[in-house]
Amino acid sequence: MDTLGALLLFGVFAVCVLAVLLTGADAYRGLTQRNQEAGNRRSCVQYIATKVRQSDSLGAVSVENFGGVDALVLGEGEYITRIYCYDGSLMELFADAALPMEPEDGEKVIALDWLEMSLQDDLLTIEVLDIDGQVSTLLLSLRSGEEAAA
């Protein structure tokens, strides 16, 4: 009878430990997935912000129509970089400004549903809809080398 009681107590303990482990694993999986989705959203917006900050000089940042889509144009002179959304992806195209290029010529960067951009009075507004249906907005004030000149 003592052995049966000990085995029954051990069985209850084992079931409790298994239930706690399964609950913890499910919670961990949910947190990891949510963290990854938030990271993907931030990656797209931060990628664009970094590119703009690297190219922020007088007249080097503009928004134009590129093959029927809005494109962020970075740089001036012989070579420019275009960042735009095409065929479900954020695309980047670095090329000679004089060459005739099409949106499909760019490199895929991140999966993206749509991208909307506008530039007014040195305020760049970018709205991004990621593949999870989340909208992120980025507002950047272009400094155009103010700190370097000051």
Side-chain angles (χ1 to χ4, degrees):
M1 197 58 140
D2 290 335
T3 306
L4 185 59
L7 283 175
L8 184 60
L9 186 59
F10 178 74
V12 169
F13 178 73
V15 168
C16 288
V17 167
L18 185 61
V20 168
L21 285 174
L22 291 175
T23 303
D26 189 44
Y28 178 76
R29 183 180 19 251
L31 289 172
T32 303
Q33 182 179 4
R34 189 180 76 204
N35 190 29
Q36 185 177 13
E37 289 169 358
N40 289 342
R41 261 195 317 280
R42 284 190 308 268
S43 294
C44 181
V45 171
Q46 289 304 315
Y47 174 80
I48 295 171
T50 300
K51 286 295 199 175
V52 170
R53 288 182 185 121
Q54 289 173 348
S55 300
D56 190 9
S57 62
L58 192 59
V61 178
S62 63
V63 175
E64 68 179 31
N65 187 308
F66 176 58
V69 297
D70 285 342
L72 182 63
V73 180
L74 306 172
E76 57 186 343
E78 193 173 346
Y79 294 98
I80 59 172
T81 300
R82 289 184 177 99
I83 298 175
Y84 54 95
C85 184
Y86 180 76
D87 198 26
S89 295
L90 182 69
M91 307 284 279
E92 179 179 339
L93 177 62
F94 177 75
D96 189 328
L99 291 176
M101 303 298 276
E102 296 297 323
E104 57 268 8
D105 296 331
E107 295 290 325
K108 292 181 180 181
V109 179
I110 298 172
L112 192 66
D113 277 345
W114 61 259
L115 173 69
E116 197 171 290
M117 297 177 272
S118 67
L119 178 62
Q120 295 178 343
D121 300 326
D122 290 334
L123 181 64
L124 178 64
T125 304
I126 297 175
E127 284 189 279
V128 172
L129 176 67
D130 66 17
I131 58 174
D132 297 322
Q134 298 291 321
V135 176
S136 299
T137 303
L138 172 67
L139 299 172
L140 283 175
S141 177
L142 301 180
R143 297 179 181 212
S144 300
E146 285 177 6
E147 292 178 7

